[in-house]
Amino acid sequence: MTVDDSGSGEDAQGADSGEDPLALRLEGLILGAERRYTPFQAARSAGVSMELASRFWRAMGFADIGQAKALTEADVLALRRLAGLVEAGLLSEAMAVQVARSTGQTTARLAEWQIDSFLEGLTEPPEPGMTRTEVTYPIVELLLPELEEFLVYVWRRQLAASAGRVVQAADDEEMVDRRLAVGFADLVGFTRLTRRMEEEELGELVEAFETTAADLVAANGGRLIKTLGDEVLYAADDAGVAAEIALRLIETMAHDETMPELRVGMAFGTVTTRMGDVFGTTVNLASRLTSIAPKDAVLVDTAFAEELIRTQDAPSSEAEAAEEAAAAEKEGEEPPTYRFALQPMWQRPVRGLGVVEPWLLTRRDGG
């Protein structure tokens, strides 16, 4: 926050006079406390410098408010806790700022969604003549404790799953730079759709796509990294899991007449993970493969294909699979079964990544 460290400034209550009374009542209900502090007073009460307090607040995504009296006891406690973690040596100052930023970014999106899509629908006046103002406050009052408990529950579940993946890592380096299968799923012709569809229809299509994709990724053992409207990014520790997700996405969307065609690109390799996102050449390659994939098809890179062959999820070629089947039949044994088939495609230069050889991934009959 850009403030004067003298602590002087206009009292927030005077500034509040132009604010909507319902907005102030809702703020008090949600925060559970009244406005008591200016930023300088909050920093002083928390025992932290104004500079560090400003870094924390900006990282959490809150705007500069000058010296308005707009902060509560909870704001002071939050600053004190973050600073305490630094003082105890549990977090570096840079890491504490990252904690504030990642938490702020994640919860900001959640809060926006809940207000725009969830709360807005619930607060439609139930009777003619009633205003949304008359309905909103009691609805929030009822929902707030339930949503708070649910948020903590989901966060603990996600934290447990993430911690489990970390302790299973082979070494410390693998905790940050890991070998993962990364996939992009992209709606074909989305830009053209934006010009033809009404905003509400487009919003419903995007929501249906994101919901379906998120459910399929989670149900089949992957992790949804982020959604970008017409595109989703996901990852999996196992190439076979990622391949199954990709094909299920294609199959599910193909059965929905309201959805455009889908294309998926995947790559396997070292990925840097940071603040819940993934970065690196592997991610870039998966994105490039998506852009050149045919409609309703999945393209993977050579490393991904080799990993499926190594884990015996796919044969190196149909000729080899036929030879294995013939040999097994001769010996009176069951032939090996494969879930997926791989077909090498044309080599082509990809900007920034050199020449790549995509492989077309499909289900294998009898796999």
Side-chain angles (χ1 to χ4, degrees):
M1 290 168 281
T2 304
V3 296
D4 176 1
D5 281 8
S6 67
S8 63
E10 181 183 7
D11 189 283
Q13 299 307 315
D16 287 346
S17 59
E19 294 189 49
D20 185 284
L22 175 62
L24 290 175
R25 288 184 64 214
L26 281 172
E27 178 189 284
L29 172 64
I30 294 169
L31 297 181
E34 296 180 355
R35 297 179 176 187
R36 292 184 55 189
Y37 301 97
T38 67
F40 177 78
Q41 291 168 340
R44 185 173 58 187
S45 296
V48 303
S49 69
M50 192 63 235
E51 179 185 1
L52 183 58
S54 296
R55 290 186 67 197
F56 284 153
W57 280 100
R58 286 170 179 159
M60 284 185 273
F62 300 130
D64 294 344
I65 58 172
Q67 279 304 320
K69 187 176 287 186
L71 305 183
T72 72
E73 200 66 52
D75 298 313
V76 173
L77 181 58
L79 289 176
R80 191 177 295 149
R81 281 175 170 161
L82 277 175
L85 291 173
V86 175
E87 291 171 5
L90 295 172
L91 295 178
S92 67
E93 187 173 304
M95 182 61 70
V97 171
Q98 286 186 4
V99 168
R101 180 169 290 112
S102 61
T103 306
Q105 289 177 355
T106 302
T107 53
R109 185 179 181 191
L110 174 63
E112 288 289 342
W113 180 88
Q114 288 177 331
I115 293 300
D116 291 345
S117 302
F118 181 52
L119 186 58
E120 191 171 295
L122 283 178
T123 55
E124 285 291 340
E127 298 178 10
M130 290 188 69
T131 65
R132 177 169 284 142
T133 299
E134 294 172 314
V135 180
T136 300
Y137 191 93
I139 289 291
V140 172
E141 193 172 27
L142 289 171
L143 283 175
L144 187 62
E146 301 301 326
L147 292 177
E148 182 178 16
E149 289 290 334
F150 187 68
L151 174 62
V152 173
Y153 156 73
V154 175
W155 171 71
R156 285 181 177 272
R157 267 289 176 188
Q158 293 286 6
L159 193 64
S162 185
R165 290 192 292 270
V166 168
V167 298
Q168 291 175 32
D171 51 47
D172 289 343
E173 288 187 6
E174 191 180 330
M175 290 169 60
V176 178
D177 296 317
R178 307 165 58 190
R179 285 179 63 78
L180 294 175
V182 178
F184 279 93
D186 177 60
L187 292 175
V188 179
F190 185 76
T191 303
R192 291 193 301 274
L193 282 175
T194 61
R195 292 194 290 264
R196 297 202 320 259
M197 298 180 72
E198 297 290 336
E199 288 185 6
E200 186 173 347
E201 291 178 305
L202 193 63
E204 291 175 354
L205 183 145
V206 168
E207 184 174 357
F209 169 58
E210 290 184 349
T211 300
T212 301
D215 288 349
L216 286 172
V217 169
N220 289 279
R223 296 188 299 284
L224 186 69
I225 304 300
K226 58 187 174 185
T227 60
L228 304 168
D230 62 330
E231 189 173 58
V232 297
L233 169 62
Y234 68 93
D237 298 317
D238 181 87
V241 168
E244 182 66 29
I245 291 169
L247 292 173
R248 283 183 181 265
L249 283 169
I250 295 288
E251 293 159 358
T252 301
M253 297 297 175
H255 284 90
D256 188 340
E257 295 180 356
T258 66
M259 283 289 172
E261 292 92 348
L262 191 70
R263 56 190 175 190
V264 181
M266 295 189 293
F268 185 84
T270 301
V271 173
T272 297
T273 59
R274 188 177 181 85
M275 290 180 63
D277 208 341
V278 291
F279 307 92
T281 302
T282 302
V283 180
N284 295 338
L285 180 53
S287 178
R288 297 286 190 275
L289 289 172
T290 307
S291 66
I292 63 174
K295 296 177 181 179
D296 286 336
V298 181
L299 288 186
V300 304
D301 74 325
T302 298
F304 197 107
E306 290 174 348
E307 182 66 10
L308 288 180
I309 294 168
R310 185 189 71 80
T311 57
Q312 297 187 324
D313 282 308
S316 58
S317 68
E318 287 304 309
E320 180 181 309
E323 290 176 5
E324 291 174 341
E329 184 178 358
K330 185 176 180 180
E331 297 294 328
E333 300 174 351
E334 285 292 324
T337 57
Y338 299 102
R339 290 193 289 164
F340 311 115
L342 293 163
Q343 178 186 341
M345 307 291 282
W346 63 97
Q347 289 188 348
R348 60 183 295 172
V350 174
R351 181 169 53 86
L353 297 171
V355 177
V356 299
E357 181 182 18
W359 295 67
L360 181 67
L361 175 76
T362 58
R363 288 202 186 279
R364 190 167 184 275
D365 294 338

